[in-house]
Amino acid sequence: MADVRITPSLLNADFARIAEEAARIPSADFLHMDVMDNHFVPNLTLGAPVIESLARSAAQPIDAHLMIEDPDRWGPAFVEAGASSVTFHVEAAHAPVRLARELRAKGARASMALKPATPIEPYADLLPELDMVLVMTVEPGFGGQKFLDLCLPKIRRTRELLDKVGGDIWLQVDGGVSVETIERCAEAGADTFVAGSAVFGADDPGAMVETLRAQAAACRH
Ligand code: DX5
Ligand code: ZN
């Protein structure tokens, strides 16, 4: 089976029972936690203290997606809080190479995210500094939005660049990923899939993780 990771977003889970929600998706490869500061995106969610509590109680590692201004300043604190992977937005980072190196030096996977209108090509030379690239398939800020097909060509181009670099840099997609759209993403070259409302809107979130994994794996060989 091809290497596929499902990293459900807890944005649509019940925040008052977040550890119990995490326990409903035991086979999730990571818990995707959406950090929003009401500046980079028009929404406010949670910060490092919540990640720290969840990292202590959850069995799965944490994938922190920082939709915040100045990730250079705040990003390393999320590694200290226990995140295993930290994703910063390149549109917000002042010095993405320095930030990626700092995240790695602290022991986390370093990941760079692109909003739908941000091209990958200007960052091609940075890819060896990263463990993952996140191509957003909605405008960041809210769960439950419609998948943007216009992002598929960028997923394909990113896959080509990553294949040239070699190594094992993951390609994650986030936004509107569901049973309807995951195959398109996998065919375009994504290998790591965030799904929020598709997982936590399902009757059995754990089973939905497995359904999505099987669909994606069938498209990647
Ligand atoms: C959106 C977040 C996503 C979101 C995904 O800004 O980054 O992680 O929670 O939710 P769905 O899967 O519902 O689009
Ligand atoms: Zn996210």
Side-chain angles (χ1 to χ4, degrees):
M1 199 197 252
D3 216 3
V4 161
R5 285 157 293 271
I6 307 294
T7 58
S9 162
L10 279 91
L11 189 59
N12 276 59
D14 181 350
F15 273 11
R17 303 167 44 252
I18 201 151
E20 289 162 55
E21 295 282 69
R24 296 172 80 195
I25 48 167
S27 70
D29 295 278
F30 284 78
L31 303 174
H32 181 89
M33 297 298 288
D34 290 300
V35 177
M36 305 186 188
D37 67 352
N38 208 24
H39 291 275
F40 183 70
V41 289
N43 197 4
L44 183 65
T45 55
L46 52 91
V50 175
I51 303 265
E52 194 174 345
S53 297
L54 186 62
R56 266 200 305 269
S57 65
Q60 308 93 324
I62 292 180
D63 163 30
H65 177 193
L66 306 185
M67 285 159 277
I68 62 173
E69 297 288 2
D70 206 0
D72 307 67
R73 176 171 176 200
W74 302 108
F78 286 85
V79 187
E80 284 156 23
S84 301
S85 174
V86 175
T87 299
F88 59 86
H89 268 267
V90 72
E91 303 88 354
H94 302 293
V97 174
R98 187 172 63 207
L99 176 54
R101 289 185 179 183
E102 199 178 341
L103 296 171
R104 280 177 155 183
K106 284 187 168 291
R109 297 176 59 87
S111 160
M112 180 180 82
L114 308 170
K115 298 207 286 183
T118 305
I120 185 65
E121 285 76 11
Y123 307 105
D125 292 341
L126 269 64
L127 297 177
E129 301 287 336
L130 301 168
D131 298 295
M132 183 166 80
V133 175
L134 165 52
V135 174
M136 292 295 305
T137 43
V138 297
E139 290 290 355
F142 301 93
Q145 300 183 76
K146 192 174 178 309
F147 181 84
L148 293 173
D149 278 286
L150 61 85
C151 300
L152 289 168
K154 181 165 59 181
I155 299 170
R156 264 184 223 107
R157 295 196 302 273
T158 304
R159 168 51 58 199
E160 283 166 20
L161 290 171
L162 292 176
D163 286 348
K164 267 189 221 150
V165 173
D168 188 23
I169 307 171
W170 301 350
L171 175 46
Q172 188 178 48
V173 286
D174 180 8
V177 176
S178 69
V179 292
E180 308 292 332
T181 57
I182 194 166
E183 290 168 346
R184 277 174 249 172
C185 298
E187 271 157 18
D191 54 26
T192 305
F193 304 86
V194 179
S197 47
V199 168
F200 283 97
D203 292 336
D204 183 344
M208 179 53 73
V209 170
E210 286 320 308
T211 300
L212 292 169
R213 188 191 305 284
Q215 275 187 293
C219 294
R220 291 189 53 76
H221 13 250

